[in-house]
Amino acid sequence: MTGTDEAARPDYFIELAAWLLTGGMSEEQATTTVAELTGYLTETGSTDAYEEFGDPKDFAARLTGGRAAEEPAAEAETWKWATDIYTDRKHLNHYGDQGWEVEGLDRLGRFVCRRDPSAALRWEYRREAANNPAERESVTATLAPDGWEPCGHWMLFMYFKRPKAASAGPAAELDELVAPPAKQLFLSRTYRGKLKQMAAGAVASGTVTAVAIHYAGDGILPFFFVAAMLSAVIGTAFGFRRIKREVAAGVEDV
């Protein structure tokens, strides 16, 4: 059986939860962590938990502060990680200060970073928004004179990088390397709150539909199906507009 076949079963998260508890994580925290990871996997559309997070035992060791035997140390050259729009700039600049250069974003929206131990530099990052290729070209041209170069985009988000020496001079020199963090997924309190709201809304909608069908009979099912589809479309549209407003306002999780 392949890793993908196994990842399609819930066994991965059952095993992960068991290793989290073994690693000293509380039952409540382990349940929350598994729920967040499951939500992340669903949101990205990925079906391969093994590809995303690795072996559940090793992943649990990283999440609980342990270090897997094969985990790369300070001399590691590559690192992939993901976050949400409420903490992306904070984490980008924090790890940019440790010499991590973003080379792009993969199809799952993860930052693909590289660090050359023999010639590591501090990097700084910024995020912009653009709705189409023409806007992306305009934003890129506007930032280019100040040394900013694009390092990837995801949906309407554009990310730019430049060596920190461009703004900090000699103070941007990197004297020593810090080992890459064990963590590969950073979810803010704001984002976790939105996931909980979505889950609560889905449960409420399902409950109302089930009650209505029970008392009104199966004949009402097509009506509720159409209503549910319209609600999903409208909800998605409003949610996307809200995200755009928050991006424009520079909302961050502090």
Side-chain angles (χ1 to χ4, degrees):
M1 179 176 289
T2 66
T4 302
D5 293 333
E6 291 187 18
R9 297 168 11 202
D11 301 20
Y12 182 92
F13 292 105
I14 294 175
E15 184 176 351
L16 176 64
W19 285 116
L20 290 174
L21 294 173
T22 301
M25 187 177 286
S26 68
E27 184 174 348
E28 180 180 0
Q29 188 177 3
T31 300
T32 301
T33 299
V34 168
E36 291 174 353
L37 294 172
T38 305
Y40 169 77
L41 209 63
T42 301
E43 182 180 350
T44 59
S46 175
T47 59
D48 194 337
Y50 280 86
E51 179 182 346
E52 282 296 298
F53 311 124
D55 179 80
K57 180 179 180 180
D58 295 340
F59 187 37
R62 296 198 297 272
L63 291 174
T64 55
R67 305 286 290 188
E70 69 274 20
E71 184 179 346
E75 63 270 21
E77 291 189 320
T78 59
W79 175 45
K80 293 182 180 181
W81 57 280
T83 185
D84 55 69
I85 64 167
Y86 304 104
T87 55
D88 53 356
R89 289 171 293 178
K90 179 179 74 174
H91 291 306
L92 281 167
N93 285 297
H94 175 73
Y95 293 111
D97 261 341
Q98 296 179 7
W100 290 102
E101 177 186 3
V102 174
E103 294 191 320
L105 281 83
D106 64 13
R107 61 185 179 83
L108 298 176
R110 295 177 300 184
F111 293 103
V112 181
C113 300
R114 180 179 182 277
R115 183 173 67 180
D116 184 351
S118 63
L121 302 172
R122 295 186 192 274
W123 292 87
E124 57 185 339
Y125 297 91
R126 65 183 294 162
R127 186 192 71 207
E128 301 292 337
N131 295 302
N132 53 59
E135 288 187 11
R136 286 199 291 269
E137 288 183 13
S138 176
V139 172
T140 300
T142 300
L143 297 177
D146 291 325
W148 294 102
E149 60 177 296
C151 58
H153 72 271
W154 175 254
M155 298 176 66
L156 69 135
F157 310 116
M158 297 181 67
Y159 294 92
F160 292 83
K161 66 182 178 183
R162 71 179 180 183
K164 201 166 186 179
S167 61
E173 293 182 3
L174 190 61
D175 298 324
E176 63 177 310
L177 300 183
V178 178
K183 198 171 182 179
Q184 294 175 311
L185 179 64
F186 302 86
L187 298 180
S188 65
R189 290 173 297 177
T190 300
Y191 184 78
R192 291 197 299 267
K194 291 182 183 296
L195 284 179
K196 291 178 181 178
Q197 290 174 3
M198 290 172 59
V203 171
S205 178
T207 301
V208 170
T209 301
V211 171
I213 292 174
H214 175 75
Y215 287 104
D218 293 340
I220 202 171
L221 183 59
F223 168 78
F224 272 98
F225 178 77
V226 173
M229 293 295 291
L230 288 174
S231 297
V233 172
I234 294 172
T236 300
F238 275 102
F240 190 68
R241 287 184 60 187
R242 180 177 178 181
I243 288 176
K244 291 182 69 174
R245 288 198 303 268
E246 291 178 342
V247 169
V251 175
E252 289 188 275
D253 190 82
V254 295

